[in-house]
Amino acid sequence: MELPFFTGMATGAGLIIAIGAQNAFVLTQGIRKQHRFAVALICSLCDALLISAGVAGMGSLIEQSPKLLGIAASLGALFLFVYGLKSLVSVFRAGQGLEEAEGKVVSRKQVVLTTLAITLLNPHVYLDTVVLLGGISATFEGAGRLLFGAGALSMSFVWFFTLAYGSALLGPLFRKPITWRILNGAIFLIMWSIAYKLLAYAGILQTIQNMWAS
């Protein structure tokens, strides 16, 4: 019963930790030590709502059809493969590290609105949470699907609060390009590992092996 939970955590980590505007903003606010709790909570709650919607809605819909289940697993594997490849490319193309922002004080309202905009106006957040995580959750049966969603949801809270409050110490580290390279390398391994498991689940690996054997 523990495997779906940790698979959810690993999948969520691969998607959430991927470098982007949201993480850069959370990291910057953490370095500034301004409204860190509000920023982390908003990002986590938005993820929680979207992941829950994906697991409860999209997951249930796909689970009713074995064919859709296979398609979801295949598309999820393809998406993870491309996402992982993108991270791998970033390992070799990483340029400047994240520079610490100037200590300009901004209001809580401005920070909240900016966090919501960066989170909800990004189309990838819906693909990652509702479609991808919801679809992958449908590959688990019964309580396993809920455990998968709980794992992904837990990772969201762990990551955003760790990033917001740990960034004061990690800031100098993440200004170095090598740190982003290491992080992207780890994301690449996570993504391709899960993509492989999904391909095996969808029966695509077995099909390929049979083609080679014939």
Side-chain angles (χ1 to χ4, degrees):
M1 293 293 286
E2 294 179 349
L3 182 59
F5 181 84
F6 290 113
T7 300
M9 289 191 73
T11 307
L15 296 174
I16 296 166
I17 297 175
I19 301 167
Q22 186 185 49
N23 282 335
F25 180 74
V26 175
L27 184 59
T28 300
Q29 289 304 120
I31 294 172
R32 289 176 171 176
K33 297 182 180 180
Q34 294 179 6
H35 313 301
R36 291 179 291 179
F37 181 82
V39 171
L41 184 62
I42 290 171
C43 291
S44 301
L45 288 178
C46 286
D47 267 10
L49 290 173
L50 294 172
I51 291 171
S52 298
V55 172
M58 177 65 74
S60 297
L61 177 63
I62 295 176
E63 189 179 31
Q64 295 173 3
S65 171
K67 185 176 292 185
L68 283 178
L69 196 59
I71 292 174
S74 301
L75 291 178
L78 177 61
F79 181 83
L80 289 170
F81 176 82
V82 174
Y83 219 115
L85 184 61
K86 188 176 178 181
S87 295
L88 179 62
V89 171
S90 296
V91 172
F92 301 100
R93 289 187 176 178
Q96 296 294 322
L98 179 67
E99 294 295 332
E100 181 173 352
E102 304 239 351
K104 181 180 178 181
V105 178
V106 292
S107 67
R108 182 182 298 272
K109 179 180 179 181
Q110 182 179 347
V111 169
V112 168
L113 291 176
T114 301
T115 306
L116 287 172
I118 289 176
T119 301
L120 299 178
L121 295 182
N122 178 9
H124 283 293
V125 72
Y126 300 99
L127 180 62
D128 293 348
T129 55
V130 179
V131 178
L132 182 58
L133 289 177
I136 294 176
S137 72
T139 64
F140 296 95
E141 297 181 358
R145 186 179 54 181
L146 298 179
L147 286 172
F148 176 88
L153 192 152
S154 298
M155 177 52 67
S156 178
F157 277 87
V158 169
W159 169 251
F160 285 121
F161 276 93
T162 299
L163 184 62
Y165 283 91
S167 54
L169 298 175
L170 297 176
L173 213 63
F174 276 87
R175 289 199 295 272
K176 300 177 182 178
I178 186 62
T179 307
W180 292 115
R181 290 192 176 99
I182 293 173
L183 186 59
N184 274 314
I187 293 171
F188 158 71
L189 293 176
I190 290 173
M191 294 297 221
W192 276 30
S193 173
I194 297 173
Y196 177 86
K197 293 178 181 178
L198 285 175
L199 287 176
Y201 175 85
I204 295 177
L205 290 180
Q206 185 63 44
T207 301
I208 295 175
Q209 290 175 359
N210 292 337
M211 290 176 61
W212 278 102
S214 61

